């Protein structure tokens, strides 16, 4: 029997279920599945009672977890320590002096190069200055400097604008069209360096920073409610000029903006969001040229935006805090600037009204959690990322004799149901359940006189001539085959994409000669293990040879007596042969012989 097999894979379906629904969570792993796995749950914490503006996360006390720095609206500053499992406790409350409490955003980084994380607090009104709070290394913050900015803002751009190795502050005018640059002297002391006032722009709601023109310094885009975005180009020293380029749609009221390489082509693209206007992705075409690539309808008031790779697939996704019923949104990027909403707060999840938030590894796993500033009296919320398990059901079929390799690397040649658990590489725990079946082709045949019938129904058939190198018999493609010439035949059966071949079956066509005119005859024909040869009137001895169809002599004997001799055929396989008889005068006769077993 010859095997030629082909596998088929079909009927694949997927379903998302949350981690709480699976008892096997502890042993599950992860496989790539992009934005399908965004899922959050409320940690149940309510931190503080005052409305919150800005939020920033960082390891303030040096214990390896993410702590929180929050700005209470028009009031105090609060620092919360994380216990490592995502539970926060108030560690410090800073009460600004009168007229200095009107703050909004906060950015945390090492301002003075002493290897701990400090804070920059952004003034909400022009009467309140830009503030630098230094950390003593234990998470205790002290006001180090207040810089008179004469600007009210929400958030700042933090970047090294002059290439000296420390980070500076670019402050857009939230109440005016003026943007100012404050340089860091390397020790965390800031002074105003430059200023630019835009015409026909109105007030700036936010700023996005990055190398936007490909000259290896930090540029900026400011966005407004009625003039879209304006490109500010840096000369490399921190002096910015208006490029005269309007970016985005002037009909949209943009409130938040971020820069990042959304399409993985090596330059900084832009994402804008705003007041009940579409989330807008803007591609950087190079050479200070930008084009709106895609927009996504939003019914929310987008307040703050962070770009980060949520699902570890190598491209940047979009996190948005909204001043609306949904609070937190996560938009998954396909790597080509195409976004899909993969998470949005839903009841009973609190619908946090949020001006500011930050993301980080809050509960000591590999997934980005969210600390949401809540603009109300119910306290700030902590949302833990709990990726749903991506469950895929696969029905796979192989042919008998093949080996199937499951997604987890194990294999089988027999039918079974296998559950594969894959290792985390992109924030999406996966279970792949494979129902493996094995197709066995029935190669049995029945012989009725000269008609052979394959027993496998519903298949494709090719009848073969075994005595002619298994050549296909022209036109013989039915389940049954009727031989017109004595020989040996087989059928190739194709069933459910699997191919197998039957044994060769000898067939003797009616009228096979048993006697010849010179008096030699054989019986029975087809023969079993013995053949009887009868001779009369020949010159002795008579030489008997049995040959196959290629002429190869398989057996021979010499008859020295007249009448009858018995010849053993036990050494021959079933099949079609020729029997040559000759005496002293040469070949007397050739008779067809079929060996068909007992």
């Amino acid at each position: 029997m010859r095997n030629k097999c082909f596998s088929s894979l079909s009927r694949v379906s997927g379903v998302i279920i949350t981690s709480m629904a699976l008892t096997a969570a502890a042993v599950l792993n992860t496989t790539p599945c992009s934005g399908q796995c965004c899922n959050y749950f409320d940690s149940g914490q309510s931190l503080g009672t005052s409305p919150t503006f800005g939020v920033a996360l960082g390891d303030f006390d040096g214990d390896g977890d993410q702590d929180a720095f929050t700005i209470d609206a028009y009031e105090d500053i609060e620092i919360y320590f994380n216990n490592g499992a995502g539970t926060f406790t108030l560690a410090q409350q800073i009460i600004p002096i009168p007229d200095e409490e009107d703050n909004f955003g906060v950015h945390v980084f090492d301002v003075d190069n002493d290897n701990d994380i400090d804070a920059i607090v952004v003034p909400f009104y022009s009467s309140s200055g830009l503030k630098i709070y230094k950390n003593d290394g234990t998470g205790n913050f002290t006001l180090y400097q207040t810089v008179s900015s004469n600007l009210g803002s929400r958030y700042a751009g933090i970047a090294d604008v002059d290439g000296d190795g420390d980070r500076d502050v670019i402050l857009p005018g939230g109440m005016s069209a003026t943007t100012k640059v404050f340089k860091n002297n390397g020790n965390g002391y800031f002074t105003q360096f430059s200023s630019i006032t835009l015409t026909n722009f109105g007030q700036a709601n936010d700023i996005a920073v990055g190398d936007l023109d490909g000259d290896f310094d930090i540029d900026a885009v400011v966005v407004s409610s009625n003039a879209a975005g304006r490109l500010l180009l840096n000369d490399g020293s921190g002096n910015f000029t208006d490029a005269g380029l309007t970016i985005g749609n002037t009909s949209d009221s943009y409130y938040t903006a971020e820069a990042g390489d959304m399409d993985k082509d090596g330059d900084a693209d832009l994402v804008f969001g705003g007041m009940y206007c579409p989330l807008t992705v803007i591609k950087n075409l190079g050479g200070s040229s930008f084009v709106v690539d895609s927009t996504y309808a939003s019914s929310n008031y987008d307040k703050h935006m962070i770009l980060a790779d949520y699902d570890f697939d190598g491209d940047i996704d979009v996190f948005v805090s909204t001043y609306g019923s949904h609070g937190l949104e996560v938009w998954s990027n396909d790597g080509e600037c195409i976004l899909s909403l993969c998470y949005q707060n839903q009841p009973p999840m609190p619908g946090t009204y949020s001006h500011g938030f930050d993301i980080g590894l809050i509960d000591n796993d590999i997934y980005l959690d969210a600390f949401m500033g809540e603009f109300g009296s119910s306290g700030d919320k902590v949302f833990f990322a709990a990726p749903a398990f991506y469950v895929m059901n696969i029905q796979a079929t192989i042919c008998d004799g093949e080996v199937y390799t499951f997604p987890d690397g194990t294999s089988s040649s027999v039918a079974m149901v296998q559950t594969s658990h894959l290792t985390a590489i992109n924030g999406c725990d996966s279970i792949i359940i494979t129902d493996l079946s094995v197709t066995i082709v029935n190669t049995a045949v029945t012989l009725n006189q000269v008609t052979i019938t394959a027993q496998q129904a519903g298949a494709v058939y090719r009848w073969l001539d075994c005595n002619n190198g298994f050549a296909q018999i022209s036109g013989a493609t039915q389940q049954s085959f009727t031989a017109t010439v004595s020989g040996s035949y087989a059928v190739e059966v194709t069933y459910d994409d699997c191919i197998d071949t039957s044994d060769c079956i000898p067939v003797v066509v009616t009228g096979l000669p048993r006697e010849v005119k010179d008096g030699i005859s054989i019986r029975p024909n087809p023969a079993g293990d013995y053949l009887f040869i009868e001779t009369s009137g020949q010159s002795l001895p008579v030489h008997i040879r049995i040959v196959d169809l290629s002429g190869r002599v398989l057996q021979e004997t010499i008859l020295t007596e007249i009448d009858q001799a018995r010849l053993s055929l036990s050494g021959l396989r079933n099949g079609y042969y020729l029997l040559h008889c000759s005496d002293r005068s040469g070949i007397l006769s050739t008779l067809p012989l079929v060996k068909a077993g007992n």
Side-chain angles (χ1 to χ4, degrees), residues 437-498:
S437 61
V438 179
T439 298
I440 299 176
V441 180
N442 184 358
T443 59
V445 297
T446 58
L447 176 62
N448 183 8
Q449 294 183 349
V450 293
T451 298
I452 313 173
T453 301
Q455 296 302 291
Q456 178 66 67
V460 175
Y461 312 95
R462 295 173 66 245
W463 290 93
L464 311 174
D465 186 348
C466 299
N467 294 331
N468 188 24
F470 291 91
Q472 182 177 355
I473 300 171
S474 178
T477 58
Q478 302 300 312
Q479 188 172 355
S480 295
F481 167 71
T482 299
T484 58
V485 177
S486 297
S488 183
Y489 304 98
V491 62
E492 180 188 83
V493 181
T494 302
Y495 177 72
D496 196 17
D497 293 331
C498 297

Side-chain angles (χ1 to χ4, degrees), residues 61 99 299:
D61 54 3
D99 297 328
S299 60

Side-chain angles (χ1 to χ4, degrees), residues 394-412:
I394 296 176
Q395 289 183 314
T397 302
I398 61 173
C399 303
D400 186 30
E402 284 188 327
V403 175
Y404 181 84
T405 300
F406 296 104
D408 62 6
T410 61
S411 59
S412 177

